[in-house]
Amino acid sequence: MARMSLDTETIPDTAPPKGRAFLSLFKALGRGWLRDRSQVFFTILLPLMFMVLLSSVFGSTGDSASRILAVGDVPVLEGADADDFDVASAPDLDKALALLREGEADAAVVQDGDTVLVYPSPTSSTSGAIAAGNLSALVDDVNVEVLSAAAPGEPVLRTEVEEADGGSLRPIQYLAPGILAWGIAISGVFGAAGTIVDWKRDKLLRRLRLTPASVSTFLGAKVSVNLVVAIAQTAVFLAVAALGFGLELSAWTWFAAPLVLLGTLAFLAIGVVIGGIAKTSPGAAGLSNLVTMPMAFISGAFFPLALSPEWVQTLSYLSPMRYLNEALQSVVVYGEPPTAVLPQIGFLAVFAAVVALISWKTFKFDEL
Amino acid sequence: MDAAIEVADLRKTYRGRRTGEVRAVDGVSFRVERGEFFGILGPNGAGKTTTLEIVEGLRRPDSGTVRLLGRSPWPHSPELTGRVGVQLQASAFFEFLSAEEQIETFAELYGASKTRGAEMLELVGLAEHANVRCEKLSGGQQQRLSIACALVGDPELVFLDEPTAALDPQARRNLWDLMRAINAEGRTVVLTTHYMEEAEALCDRVAIMDAGKIRAVDSPAGFVKGLDAPTRVTVAAGQLTGERIDELAAGEAVSADETTVVFETRDPRKLLTALASDGALEGLAVRTANLEDVFLHVTGREWRA
Ligand SMILES: Nc1ncnc2c1ncn2[C@@H]1O[C@H](COP(=O)(O)OP(=O)(O)OP(=O)(O)O)[C@@H](O)[C@H]1O
Ligand SMILES: [Mg+2]
């Protein structure tokens, strides 16, 4: 405090243009985000860790053949393609089921005359379901051959399954969109809830309200930082999934960007509601968990909804994660055009709008 | 020209579920002229911060009116906020930014230049801490940064809520100089404080606030004069005989114990001259009436800041 002169340069006495205020706030908040290690961990590293974990739980990524245990004599497997089935034999059913339980195989098969009994793995439901699916396709193929042999010249109906991912449903194709949707959900919900609680604590918003920049500019900058983060998170995640885990990206993958942005808006709105209720950071984190965990479990992101009980399937219609997951899976994995996911987009948009309205109505601004 | 601030009959009651009703501001009116240095002095919980927040436009009063530079602070308008600088009692910063990035952001929000930000850091003595993250600054340094943020927009009117609360004596004196300089440039300054000597040293006028009410407003000198309190002159005991003490007291109050003799006089010049010629100046202390006595007089309560 050596110099006491306050030499006043000429400062425009009109407020700075909105664009400039927005940019400086965006810069300040963005820098803060990058320097907050816990945020970087939650948004970028945690989903990647989940991918490593889940893809190893649900089966090795490189080997797409279903591991089948043939109990006794199973003639139907004789026509099996070695690329699709990795067949081992088991002396009896009990032994086979024990091996399944230990995760040594994806399904066990018993053939009793004309009946083929399939026991999918109870421990790894995804690869079990895939194995069961592959087996029933095999049985269909055999049936078609038998029928054509019996009645040559008679046309037989047969299904040709044209799979978007090149013929094999590997766990990563199925898991990646789910984990990404989950990553977007937690960074949106936890991020917004934590930020609101921080603002309540350190009164930054109160101070900013007394600057010429408007609160809406500030909120806009904050949301923009979150949207940019979501895009970066998506890019990093998909790149790692593609390069490190063999996820095959469709030509429509770029459409993940608008989907993720829409999803982020919905999850931020949920976070704002939570932040309005919670008083402390641990409270906000706890409440965020309470909301995101069930939302993830009923969304079908981590295991197929088809394998879930009916009530889960019904409830899942309420989870925004379900729609984000479905939409991402459609465009990124199955290469469907954006028009195919219009219903999901519609739901996410309505959900985001409704929750944003709720957060706007219930939020106590004077607490900030 | 309009007054810098005109406040009429402000009232604000906080309603808590457990605490019940607190009348934080209970019928406050005052006026601050442009260029004036105005102080609000009062103990903890007097309602100073609440009053300031209402005037700044952060809180809505239950009733009463506020005019700030001739306008209402509510709803917020960039034209008004751009002319007013605010340091809140609790510092508020962007997380994870350095002092320099902090002040630059505020400079941009007020439409000021980057160099202006650097100058403000220099002015509050934080130039060498420019690259330190805000959360790692000491309490006093944070306070100074927050003052720099209040000044960066070149405001006509500055609100400082207990700016010297966390400062060491040296920094406090420096800040006093800074505040005088700000005011000398023609800016209106409104300050709240717990410190009597701060209000006396800086303010043109002081409002004494207690329990949500402004008890009196006057210049520090006017207060002391109005009090008509005697000057207390203390010297060490044993230098004067009992007779001489009575003689010097000349009918005014005097008290003596084993260590000190305390005269209460309205003519300190004559008494001090007499003591000097007696060579009885050991342990001399002279205390004139100050705002502390004024507070006691005005509120009927001992000062307990
Ligand atoms: N947000 C609030 N909710 C409820 N009561 C409050 C709130 N803020 C202040 N109060 C109460 O209002 C009264 C006045 O508080 P205020 O902060 O205005 O005092 P102050 O004079 O600034 O005190 P200090 O010198 O400690 O800063 C106090 O009794 C306080 O407990
Ligand atoms: Mg206060």
Side-chain angles (χ1 to χ4, degrees):
Chain A
M1 267 188 250
R3 273 184 19 202
M4 277 307 134
S5 81
L6 250 178
D7 49 292
T8 42
E9 52 186 299
T10 42
I11 287 167
D13 47 12
T14 50
K18 264 203 156 50
R20 194 176 156 195
F22 177 85
L23 279 183
S24 54
L25 287 168
F26 183 83
K27 204 169 63 186
L29 293 168
R31 269 182 179 156
W33 190 90
L34 283 175
R35 290 177 191 170
D36 184 353
R37 297 223 181 92
S38 66
Q39 297 259 36
V40 176
F41 172 79
F42 266 111
T43 36
I44 308 285
L45 291 182
L46 195 60
L48 293 180
M49 282 167 54
F50 245 72
M51 182 155 61
V52 174
L53 202 73
L54 286 179
S55 61
S56 63
V57 167
F58 286 120
S60 67
T61 52
D63 182 11
S64 61
S66 294
R67 296 166 302 160
I68 305 295
L69 283 173
V71 182
D73 199 21
V74 186
V76 76
L77 284 173
E78 276 157 27
D81 187 339
D83 283 348
D84 292 338
F85 297 98
D86 176 6
V87 184
S89 58
D92 58 65
L93 188 58
D94 285 345
K95 180 78 179 129
L97 292 181
L99 285 170
L100 275 188
R101 236 171 274 125
E102 284 158 27
E104 294 293 324
D106 300 326
V109 187
V110 184
Q111 187 164 6
D112 179 14
D114 292 341
T115 312
V116 178
L117 279 168
V118 178
Y119 299 85
S121 163
T123 44
S124 172
S125 51
T126 314
S127 44
I130 292 168
N134 287 343
L135 283 168
S136 71
L138 176 68
V139 171
D140 286 349
D141 283 350
V142 173
N143 282 341
V144 167
E145 275 167 36
V146 171
L147 282 176
S148 343
E154 273 297 302
V156 280
L157 289 178
R158 58 175 301 160
T159 48
E160 276 292 346
V161 181
E162 205 61 67
E163 273 156 313
D165 53 1
S168 59
L169 235 177
R170 290 182 318 213
I172 186 70
Q173 305 290 87
Y174 168 99
L175 287 171
I179 301 171
L180 179 57
W182 173 78
I184 296 292
I186 58 162
S187 53
V189 174
F190 282 77
T195 303
I196 299 278
V197 172
D198 284 351
W199 285 351
K200 281 190 199 171
R201 190 196 56 216
D202 56 37
K203 314 285 181 204
L204 176 64
L205 213 59
R206 288 160 61 80
R207 178 63 188 87
L208 290 174
R209 268 202 272 178
L210 297 176
T211 70
S214 68
V215 173
S216 58
T217 309
F218 179 71
L219 295 180
K222 181 68 195 163
V223 171
S224 305
V225 168
N226 280 302
L227 293 178
V228 170
V229 164
I231 293 294
Q233 178 186 11
T234 305
V236 170
F237 182 86
L238 289 179
V240 173
L243 300 175
F245 295 84
L247 175 68
E248 286 162 37
L249 299 174
S250 84
W252 285 108
T253 299
W254 63 268
F255 197 71
L259 291 176
V260 156
L261 292 183
L262 186 57
T264 298
L265 289 178
F267 296 122
L268 285 177
I270 297 179
V272 172
V273 175
I274 293 175
I277 299 167
K279 298 267 184 279
T280 61
S281 301
L287 271 179
S288 300
N289 261 322
L290 204 64
V291 172
T292 48
M293 296 266 261
M295 202 165 72
F297 278 120
I298 62 171
S299 71
F302 298 137
F303 42 82
L305 278 174
L307 300 180
S308 310
E310 191 117 356
W311 63 270
V312 171
Q313 296 186 29
T314 312
L315 268 183
S316 75
Y317 287 103
L318 292 174
S319 167
M321 252 185 83
R322 174 194 170 128
Y323 300 92
L324 182 58
N325 177 36
E326 279 178 1
L328 286 172
Q329 195 150 35
S330 297
V331 297
V332 175
V333 176
Y334 295 119
E336 291 177 43
T339 46
V341 295
L342 283 178
Q344 282 85 353
I345 293 177
F347 178 86
L348 278 178
V350 170
F351 186 91
V354 168
V355 181
L357 193 70
I358 293 175
S359 62
W360 186 257
K361 289 285 174 211
T362 59
F363 202 79
K364 297 188 196 75
F365 282 95
D366 36 321
E367 281 185 1
L368 291 178
Chain B
M1 197 149 88
D2 299 306
I5 302 172
E6 269 184 282
V7 166
D9 202 27
L10 282 191
R11 285 172 203 278
K12 176 80 192 177
T13 303
Y14 292 114
R15 290 180 179 81
R17 222 172 292 154
R18 247 166 299 147
T19 49
E21 292 194 354
V22 180
R23 282 198 203 169
V25 178
D26 193 8
V28 163
S29 306
F30 61 92
R31 182 184 163 97
V32 179
E33 299 303 332
R34 299 221 178 183
E36 204 178 359
F37 202 129
F38 188 79
I40 302 179
L41 178 71
N44 287 139
K48 304 181 295 294
T49 298
T50 307
T51 304
L52 231 51
E53 285 179 347
I54 293 171
V55 176
E56 292 156 356
L58 263 187
R59 267 183 211 289
R60 310 276 312 254
D62 297 338
S63 66
T65 57
V66 179
R67 307 293 291 174
L68 205 56
L69 301 171
R71 298 157 161 263
S72 167
W74 201 280
H76 291 244
S77 75
E79 290 77 28
L80 186 59
T81 45
R83 293 161 67 192
V84 178
V86 178
Q87 176 246 326
L88 298 176
Q89 184 164 10
S91 314
F93 300 120
F94 290 94
E95 281 184 307
F96 300 103
L97 293 199
S98 71
E100 189 175 28
E101 291 163 341
Q102 196 75 39
I103 191 97
E104 271 175 16
T105 306
F106 272 92
E108 284 168 348
L109 292 182
Y110 280 101
S113 67
K114 270 194 179 182
T115 49
R116 171 88 184 166
E119 280 168 29
M120 289 302 113
L121 276 194
E122 176 88 41
L123 195 68
V124 298
L126 284 179
E128 72 246 51
H129 300 287
N131 295 320
V132 179
R133 296 263 176 94
C134 291
E135 62 270 23
K136 294 199 173 124
L137 292 172
S138 77
Q141 289 164 343
Q142 289 188 0
Q143 195 114 348
R144 276 144 59 187
L145 179 59
S146 152
I147 292 164
C149 290
L151 297 177
V152 76
D154 191 22
E156 289 165 47
L157 170 58
V158 188
F159 289 98
L160 302 170
D161 197 352
E162 293 181 30
T164 61
L167 301 191
D168 63 46
Q170 178 63 44
R172 172 170 298 158
R173 295 286 160 170
N174 288 342
L175 190 59
W176 285 10
D177 288 344
L178 175 63
M179 288 190 278
R180 281 198 196 97
I182 296 167
N183 182 239
E185 289 171 338
R187 295 172 218 268
T188 312
V189 181
V190 177
L191 168 89
T192 74
T193 181
H194 293 156
Y195 298 105
M196 297 289 181
E197 71 273 21
E198 189 162 292
E200 280 182 286
L202 296 171
C203 298
D204 297 324
R205 283 190 310 141
V206 180
I208 292 181
M209 191 160 187
D210 188 39
K213 288 189 162 71
I214 289 189
R215 304 294 172 162
V217 185
D218 203 343
S219 67
F223 267 130
V224 173
K225 203 161 140 227
L227 201 58
D228 190 29
T231 303
R232 291 155 64 92
V233 177
T234 310
V235 292
Q239 305 175 80
L240 299 163
T241 62
E243 266 164 47
R244 181 67 180 148
I245 290 172
D246 287 341
E247 201 178 319
L248 289 171
E252 288 187 297
V254 66
S255 61
D257 58 25
E258 294 100 81
T259 53
T260 55
V261 183
V262 181
F263 297 94
E264 294 191 8
T265 177
R266 273 158 220 277
D267 192 354
R269 185 191 300 241
K270 189 171 152 213
L271 175 66
L272 287 170
T273 318
L275 285 171
S277 64
D278 282 11
L281 292 178
E282 200 179 312
L284 175 71
V286 182
R287 187 179 165 280
T288 49
N290 62 13
L291 281 181
E292 217 159 309
D293 306 288
V294 174
F295 186 84
L296 175 67
H297 180 73
V298 167
T299 66
R301 294 196 292 121
E302 203 73 53
W303 177 255
R304 35 153 198 87

